[in-house]
Amino acid sequence: MTADMILFNGKIHTIAQRKEKITAVAIKDGKFIAVGNDSDILAFSGSSTKIIDLNKKRVVPGINDSHIHLIRGGLNFNLELRWDGVPSLADALRMLKEQVDITPSPQWVRVVGGWSEFQFAERRMPTLEEINAIAPETPVFILHLYDRAFMNRAALKAVGYTRDTPAPPGGEIQRDANGEPTGLIIASPNAMILYSTLAKGPKLSYEHQVNSTRHFMTELNRFGITSVIDAGGGFQNFPDDYKVVNELNEQKLLTVRIAYNLFTQRPKQEFEDFENWTNSVKLYQGDDMYRHNGAGEMLVFSAADFEDFLQPRPDLSDNMEPELERVVRLLVEKRWPFRLHATYNESIGRFLNVFEKVNKDIPFAGLPWIFDHAETIDERNIERVKALGGGIAIQSRMAYQGEYFTERYGAKAALQTPPIKKMLEMEVPVGGGSDATRVSSYNPWVSMFWLTAGKTVGGLKIYNEETVLSRETALELYTRGSAWFSNEQQKKGDIEVGMLADLAVLNHDYFEVSDEQLKGIESDLTLVDGKIVYAKGDFSSFSPPKIPILPDWSPTNSYNGYYSAASHKSNQQGKTKGANGASSVLAMVHSCVGSCNVHNHNHDAVRTSNLPVNNYTAFWGALGCSCFAF
């Protein structure tokens, strides 16, 4: 048999344990046909075989995010300025100013999740005064996790928020002494005020949504992501908001495999939504690139236990059980897999009561079902999940909210958030994911850092040696582990003969770099279905044609998603001065990025150390550069 493609001279990691070293793979018709050493695999070459020398680079199975919001994120990616990974608030505000300057009316500048103030050198959020100084006329909306959004005066005017605007239940519009909105809206704890306000902004045209989705997939490919499970999301309506990905699949332009769950959008009419979908949508309809995957993560609105750790744990309403039971009973009758957003153990216990009641009447009998998040689940409830044949999809939300959780519940409680090792010991299926883009970043290597180093993006150590995972285990959660959650564990999640040919060739060896260097891992070469979807560096000659970015003022044109020191440095030249007082904001703190060009010091390493470089009123911080923190 002649291969379509051969990759050789690599360090290829397989999830299944092997005695021999794997250095090469052969691919044909989108599947692995041989896995082994160079000489054996090169025997599969022919005149038309594409042969690629891996130059001893580390190769891993394609990364699979088992809980992300790709479809919604794709429709908006080209609209959003990403602060994911940005090292200082000064850099973030500079980026904001640059984008404000080129964004045409009536569009907004949006920063929508993926950042924490603890990642910044200044260890704080922006202020409304800073935002208004930078953008006196262009609407600005900045979403911070699930807890708040900052809106400048222009954004308040655009959405029509006045002193007479009532806040929805569970939400707050902060007001000044005169009763006027300040620009801060708060989830207390219901995040719907944040999402409903964001939804008031102008959308991209359909053509630009198609382009935006393609760029978001390319951005995911940049980090070696080849598969995802889309968990639905607020204001993501089926089938209207799925037209773009459906069209891209029909045109064979998807570069990430998508399994999608259907998320109800109508409080008190959830049963009607699922009754309609179970009668009109065939379970698992689609193909290996784009397929249906069941119901959730929202099944009924009364079961939403919002995870804002700045707020006390919410108590679910008394009518949750009968509403949830009605929907779950329907789904089990129709044999539809389902997933449910579940943060707190107290909520999980009540959900399990419902599931066990339904199971007595209509046995689950192997029907896949999932709890998402499960940060505080206890051992007894893990046992109950296992007894019902469920799985638990965990996400890197604690990497962004660990400081808040620790402050509210204590460091001891934070050690088991979530108790992944206990889940694995009890042989419950566990999949890795991000919950991107409105909370955590989509970068899976930040998740690997959180799982294996036990730290937040701000450097807080929240796990110890008993609760951190090995790098092998963390990678397995993001590959073979996640495949279970779309019932595809037999066809993907590993580099094995007969499996789908999805893999990533990494720029740094995941198993050899330091903990801090994990966050800098990207893919130099990403394959999906045996085709090259992303290539750079040594493999740049294999890169697919560049896709133009639409519209031309898109933040993607300037920053291309997750922070990269190299690309940001080039944009920074001559742009640090802002108008209307913004220059004084940026001048308050240093805005150096990456390694120091003078002393060759690693700023990021120093910023996460115990040296007081982030205290700008003290000696080291006043110097304005962590270079002086020897």
Side-chain angles (χ1 to χ4, degrees):
M1 185 185 298
T2 301
D4 297 330
M5 182 184 295
I6 288 176
L7 309 179
F8 75 102
N9 190 28
K11 296 187 290 184
I12 299 176
H13 179 79
T14 61
I15 303 301
Q17 297 297 315
R18 291 174 174 270
K19 292 181 180 179
E20 73 276 21
K21 283 178 117 178
I22 304 300
T23 60
V25 297
I27 297 167
K28 186 176 181 64
D29 296 331
K31 294 183 179 180
F32 296 112
I33 60 169
V35 177
N37 60 49
D38 288 355
S39 59
D40 288 347
I41 301 306
L42 286 169
F44 287 86
S45 64
S47 59
S48 62
T49 303
K50 180 178 289 186
I51 301 176
I52 299 177
D53 185 343
L54 296 172
N55 299 318
K56 304 294 185 184
K57 287 185 177 288
R58 174 64 65 189
V59 182
V60 298
I63 301 301
N64 185 348
D65 190 319
S66 61
H67 183 124
I68 192 172
H69 300 275
L70 183 155
I71 294 172
R72 182 180 66 192
L75 298 178
N76 297 283
F77 184 68
N78 283 1
L79 279 178
E80 296 173 358
L81 176 67
R82 306 297 309 174
W83 281 356
D84 305 38
V86 174
S88 75
L89 179 60
D91 290 317
L93 292 175
R94 169 181 53 79
M95 293 164 61
L96 182 67
K97 176 65 174 66
E98 292 171 2
Q99 189 58 42
V100 164
D101 287 347
I102 63 172
T103 300
S105 179
Q107 274 292 351
W108 301 6
V109 176
R110 290 163 248 220
V111 179
V112 185
W115 65 280
S116 161
E117 72 269 33
F118 301 108
Q119 79 192 41
F120 294 147
E122 300 88 341
R123 314 289 285 188
R124 69 173 180 86
M125 301 184 202
T127 66
L128 288 167
E129 289 76 16
E130 289 167 332
I131 298 167
N132 278 302
I134 287 171
E137 297 178 358
T138 302
V140 171
F141 180 100
I142 300 175
L143 178 69
H144 178 263
L145 303 175
Y146 278 129
D147 68 90
R148 70 191 62 197
F150 301 88
M151 303 171 66
N152 66 347
R153 284 185 288 269
L156 287 172
K157 182 178 180 181
V159 301
Y161 283 180
T162 69
R163 63 184 300 140
D164 299 320
T165 303
E172 177 186 346
I173 300 174
Q174 187 188 72
R175 303 176 192 276
D176 62 20
N178 298 319
E180 298 292 341
T182 64
L184 185 65
I185 55 175
I186 301 170
S188 56
N190 192 323
M192 291 306 293
I193 186 175
L194 309 178
Y195 297 159
S196 61
T197 304
L198 177 60
K200 296 176 184 289
K203 295 182 179 180
L204 291 172
S205 68
Y206 184 81
E207 176 192 4
H208 290 184
Q209 287 179 341
V210 171
N211 182 270
S212 176
T213 299
R214 294 188 69 186
H215 279 285
F216 187 35
M217 290 189 295
T218 299
E219 174 73 350
L220 297 179
N221 297 150
R222 169 187 167 194
F223 295 100
I225 295 175
T226 60
S227 288
V228 303
I229 304 177
D230 187 280
F235 297 89
Q236 181 176 319
N237 293 286
F238 182 83
D240 293 350
D241 290 328
Y242 293 69
K243 289 178 180 177
V244 167
V245 288
N246 188 63
E247 177 183 320
L248 289 172
N249 186 50
E250 290 175 350
Q251 296 176 357
K252 300 191 180 304
L253 293 175
L254 290 182
T255 62
V256 176
R257 301 183 190 274
I258 303 171
Y260 62 92
N261 285 72
L262 295 183
F263 181 121
T264 181
Q265 302 292 330
R266 302 191 300 166
K268 304 300 181 183
Q269 297 182 64
E270 301 97 336
F271 180 86
E272 288 74 16
D273 278 344
F274 289 115
E275 185 176 45
N276 174 47
W277 290 335
T278 55
N279 288 329
S280 60
V281 178
K282 183 179 178 181
L283 178 62
Y284 298 138
Q285 68 181 27
D287 54 36
D288 287 336
M289 288 301 300
Y290 178 63
R291 67 199 290 267
H292 172 254
N293 194 52
E297 66 178 303
M298 181 73 81
L299 297 181
V300 293
F301 280 79
S302 57
D305 64 339
F306 298 100
E307 63 291 357
D308 179 0
F309 296 133
L310 284 170
Q311 300 283 341
R313 176 184 62 82
D315 288 320
L316 303 179
S317 66
D318 292 338
N319 64 329
M320 183 277 290
E321 280 86 351
E323 292 181 356
L324 181 61
E325 179 184 342
R326 190 175 181 220
V327 169
V328 171
R329 190 173 292 273
L330 169 71
L331 296 172
V332 178
E333 285 175 347
K334 297 296 183 77
R335 305 304 294 169
W336 260 41
F338 62 88
R339 62 193 309 157
L340 181 61
H341 172 112
T343 300
Y344 297 99
N345 189 61
E346 292 83 354
S347 306
I348 289 169
R350 291 177 62 181
F351 300 155
L352 285 167
N353 291 341
V354 172
F355 297 170
E356 289 165 349
K357 181 179 179 182
V358 173
N359 182 61
K360 288 180 180 179
D361 298 332
I362 316 170
F364 282 26
L367 178 70
W369 67 273
I370 305 161
F371 274 142
D372 285 303
H373 317 312
E375 275 85 0
T376 68
I377 190 171
D378 67 11
E379 185 171 345
R380 171 62 186 128
N381 279 339
I382 298 173
E383 291 174 349
R384 297 170 72 190
V385 171
K386 180 180 180 180
L388 284 174
I392 301 174
I394 58 97
Q395 295 80 40
S396 53
R397 303 189 312 177
M398 284 294 291
Y400 295 82
Q401 301 186 83
E403 286 85 355
Y404 294 147
F405 186 96
T406 300
E407 182 176 354
R408 178 169 291 277
Y409 299 107
K412 183 177 180 181
L415 284 172
Q416 301 283 349
T417 50
I420 303 170
K421 275 193 171 179
K422 180 60 64 176
M423 298 172 189
L424 295 173
E425 288 170 7
M426 297 172 67
E427 299 182 333
V428 171
V430 180
S434 64
D435 203 10
T437 57
R438 293 184 175 179
V439 183
S440 308
S441 175
Y442 45 78
N443 185 341
W445 306 103
V446 172
S447 296
M448 305 290 184
F449 168 78
W450 162 68
L451 289 167
T452 61
K455 295 181 180 180
T456 68
V457 294
L460 177 66
K461 182 83 171 177
I462 55 175
Y463 306 144
N464 59 22
E465 293 308 308
E466 295 180 359
T467 51
V468 295
L469 303 183
S470 70
R471 293 192 185 181
E472 290 82 357
T473 300
L475 182 61
E476 183 172 350
L477 296 189
Y478 255 95
T479 51
R480 189 168 64 186
S482 289
W484 182 92
F485 291 77
S486 57
N487 197 28
E488 296 177 286
Q489 60 269 39
Q490 304 305 319
K491 65 172 67 173
K492 66 182 179 183
D494 205 350
I495 299 175
E496 291 289 341
V497 173
M499 285 196 162
L500 298 172
D502 304 342
L503 58 76
V505 182
L506 307 181
N507 62 344
H508 303 301
D509 192 329
Y510 169 71
F511 295 104
E512 294 182 4
V513 297
S514 69
D515 286 344
E516 286 297 322
Q517 289 174 310
L518 287 173
K519 294 180 288 185
I521 289 178
E522 296 184 13
S523 178
D524 278 349
L525 183 71
T526 305
L527 269 63
V528 176
D529 202 37
K531 302 176 181 66
I532 296 171
V533 296
Y534 183 85
K536 68 176 183 181
D538 293 343
F539 308 103
S540 57
S541 62
F542 300 109
S543 179
K546 296 291 184 184
I547 307 167
I549 298 171
L550 301 174
D552 58 5
W553 52 265
S554 167
T556 308
N557 253 325
S558 300
Y559 301 111
N560 195 32
Y562 197 91
Y563 175 82
S564 166
S567 63
H568 283 240
K569 276 182 181 178
S570 63
N571 285 329
Q572 188 180 2
Q573 303 302 320
K575 294 182 179 180
T576 55
K577 282 191 176 182
N580 301 307
S583 58
S584 63
V585 172
L586 302 182
M588 287 172 62
V589 293
H590 69 78
S591 57
C592 32
V593 295
S595 296
C596 172
N597 292 328
V598 179
H599 305 99
N600 200 31
H601 294 153
N602 187 330
H603 292 164
D604 288 341
V606 176
R607 287 165 179 158
T608 56
S609 73
N610 292 323
L611 295 168
V613 297
N614 296 327
N615 182 351
Y616 295 103
T617 64
F619 177 74
W620 296 115
L623 290 172
C625 181
S626 59
C627 301
F628 297 97
F630 298 114

